Amino acid sequence: MLIKTLPVGMLGTNCYVVTDEKTLKCAIIDPGGDSNTILDYIESNKLVPEAILLTHGHFDHHMALEAVMDATGAPAYINKNDATDGGPSDQHKLDDGGKLQWYSEGNVIAIGGLEITVFETPGHSPGSVTLKCENALFTGDTLFRDSCGRTDLGGGSMEILLASLKRLSDLDGDYEIYPGHAESSTLSRERKFNYYVKHANGEE
């Protein structure tokens, strides 16, 4: 598995391209802007996009969605609870002509020989998900290095987010953490140093 991080858009969203190196099939996670950057990487490496996966519906994670869908023909997935981005203004953007497909807890998206499993981890938004692939967790805006997502936007809830953080913390073993913004981390590090994770575990 090859993971390429492409910071895109005006808020520096991490778009991830996850590739099965044997087949060159890939998934694009959170195309938050700068579609040319994303598409240039795919074309220059001769990758075959199989799916576009959204960790949640906030605009900074899908600004390049339409352009990337049109260029690649890959289907796009989001949890239905985030289909409206917390308000009617984004309903058309996210559910235009039935192009989007829904995924939910336990669904598995096959990308060549890779399997990406969906965990529902609401709190930052009602439909936030974490995507697990091998030893990697793509946490969107649920879990950051040393922090977590804000909960003051529509549909946010700190109580629910803490339950999601505990769920991630309770996973067996260690994982690489690839968040929606800023630096990557590991789950073991966040268990030890992240105030919000420790609070979720009753340690703070």
Side-chain angles (χ1 to χ4, degrees):
M1 176 174 64
L2 175 66
I3 299 171
K4 177 66 174 179
T5 306
L6 300 170
V8 297
M10 57 186 175
L11 297 182
T13 300
N14 288 329
C15 172
Y16 297 104
V17 181
V18 182
T19 302
D20 173 15
E21 294 173 275
K22 294 181 180 179
T23 64
L24 296 185
K25 293 180 179 180
C26 72
I28 302 164
I29 299 175
D30 287 349
D34 303 328
S35 60
N36 287 341
T37 298
I38 300 168
L39 295 172
D40 286 350
Y41 173 77
I42 289 167
E43 182 177 354
S44 63
N45 289 280
K46 298 180 171 56
L47 305 182
V48 182
E50 293 280 284
I52 304 165
L53 310 177
L54 300 181
T55 61
H56 62 293
H58 290 155
F59 76 94
D60 56 313
H61 291 255
H62 66 73
M63 288 293 287
L65 175 61
E66 184 174 355
V68 173
M69 286 181 72
D70 288 347
T72 65
Y77 297 81
I78 190 171
N79 185 275
K80 195 169 186 177
N81 290 327
D82 261 22
T84 63
D85 194 15
S89 63
D90 265 342
Q91 174 67 33
H92 181 67
K93 295 178 187 176
L94 283 170
D95 192 16
D96 186 6
K99 293 179 181 179
L100 278 179
Q101 299 186 37
W102 312 128
Y103 58 16
S104 57
E105 177 69 30
N107 288 165
V108 176
I109 308 296
I111 306 294
L114 301 175
E115 291 188 342
I116 298 177
T117 304
V118 179
F119 293 165
E120 292 185 357
T121 51
H124 173 67
S125 67
S128 285
V129 301
T130 292
L131 303 169
K132 182 179 79 70
C133 187
E134 295 185 349
N135 69 330
L137 294 175
F138 300 92
T139 56
D141 289 1
T142 296
L143 174 62
F144 299 132
R145 182 183 178 96
D146 295 326
S147 190
C148 66
R150 59 192 292 183
T151 58
D152 59 338
L153 302 173
S157 166
M158 179 55 75
E159 181 180 0
I160 294 172
L161 180 57
L162 287 172
S164 292
L165 293 176
K166 178 168 175 51
R167 180 188 184 190
L168 294 178
S169 179
D170 286 346
L171 292 174
D172 290 337
D174 198 12
Y175 289 86
E176 297 289 326
I177 300 295
Y178 294 92
H181 301 272
E183 299 174 86
S184 60
S185 185
T186 64
L187 189 55
S188 61
R189 183 191 183 281
E190 298 313 302
R191 290 181 185 124
K192 186 174 182 180
F193 295 113
N194 189 316
Y195 166 81
Y196 297 96
V197 174
K198 294 176 74 173
H199 182 53
N201 288 325
E203 299 174 23
E204 293 285 350

